[in-house]
Amino acid sequence: MTKTSNQMWGGRFASGPDAIMEAINASIGFDKRLAAQDIAGSRAHAAMLAAQGIVTDKDAEAIREGLLTILSEIEGGKFEFSTALEDIHMNVEARLKDMIGAPAGRLHTARSRNDQVAVDFRLWVRDQCDAADQALAALMQALLGQAEAGADWVMPGFTHLQTAQPVTWGHHMLAYVEMFARDRSRFADARRRMNESPLGAAALAGTSFPIDRHATAEALGFDRPTANSLDSVSDRDFALEFLAASSICAMHLSRFAEELVIWSSAQFRFVAMSDRWSTGSSIMPQKRNPDAAELIRAKIGRIFGANVALMTVMKGLPLTYSKDMQEDKEQVFDAADSLMLALAAMTGMVSDMTANRPNLKAAASSGFSTATDLADWLVRELNLPFRDAHHVTGSLVAVAEGKGCDLQDLTLEDMQAVHAGIRADVFDVLGVENSVASRMSYGGTAPVRVREQIARWKEALK
């Protein structure tokens, strides 16, 4: 393959770029990841040119065979990329010319690198949406496995990281199933919107050749061609939407990672992480560090940063294409890699972790977690206004604090000293199992409702 200055520019420039210009201008160091998509787009374009009589069938066949050979070389690690040829498009075209000669020069008829890169990048991002969807489905399955095992295991629910009300382990796991399901829907929604083909928009204005954009769109799995050539080559909304969906998904992963870090600590001991997802200390032999969760929590910043970086690149660009847009890919590539790694690691951790049921229950029983149940009982049984019931319950909590015990450990006399109407059956609502069982509203934490949601999600994920 040629290593001289880029001859694809033709006679406009008398000398090649110097080393610094070549370095800042070249994108082959990262956009070679688009090789499969670039070759797929070129094959569809060549087939369409032949079908429209713009190139001969013989030339189209030579192009097709040459492109397949180049793809094989790239996949086999035998292709030699050249920085002088700037990008994946020129590298492939130059190699094609080496292989088949003059017919290679006809491949670029009725297209530009502007629509070529737009279709390549769209195809790549579309593939990443599909990969994210599959990874999220696997994570949701792992969470459902945890939820099913602990559908009736009692644990504390928190607000402000303070014990609030008892919930079930299964209910907590299902909260993340709901979050990641919304992430799947965002990727699917973004995929639907990006599934239009910019190929054939050419440099910016379309082409005078009698091309069939619907044929190339169909060949590449798009729903339709894009409707405006100016927008086609300047649009990067598809990449921004992928990054936006990735950022929200990453935020969910980080929240869960934070909980796993807290839960696996010696102070909580809610879960034990397997050795596969933990590391030891170089000096403290007793340590088991939740490094995988911590790294997920940290990598999320790269995804957020990619989103901001591409928004910043695009915010000041007039229509249509500007070279600034070459800076669109590295951030997306890095964000996609980080997201897929984080999803895979989280799925592994969730699948392997072991919940400590006795510790979960002990924590759920502390911190006056059934105070709301007591207040609800006062409303239901004694017909107190809720604000009055709230005040009575607060007074009883103060009594329990003074005695160093929990609400269920108070005597009936203790309670009646605060409100004479309280009866012995109040203790029926003060156990944490009774508390969670009573939360029967749709979407509540009662085990029967949790099992209903597990069944619903298992059916949805089939």
Side-chain angles (χ1 to χ4, degrees), residues 184-208:
R184 287 187 79 192
S185 72
R186 273 183 279 271
F187 283 114
D189 190 43
R191 189 193 193 283
R192 279 192 297 272
R193 218 172 352 265
M194 73 178 64
N195 206 34
E196 297 181 345
S197 173
L199 190 58
L204 75 162
T207 178
S208 59

Side-chain angles (χ1 to χ4, degrees), residues 32-59:
K32 60 187 177 184
R33 290 184 67 162
L34 300 175
Q37 290 78 18
D38 190 70
I39 289 171
S42 291
R43 289 180 61 195
H45 185 67
M48 180 276 296
L49 291 177
Q52 294 298 106
I54 299 170
V55 303
T56 65
D57 290 339
K58 182 179 178 181
D59 283 350

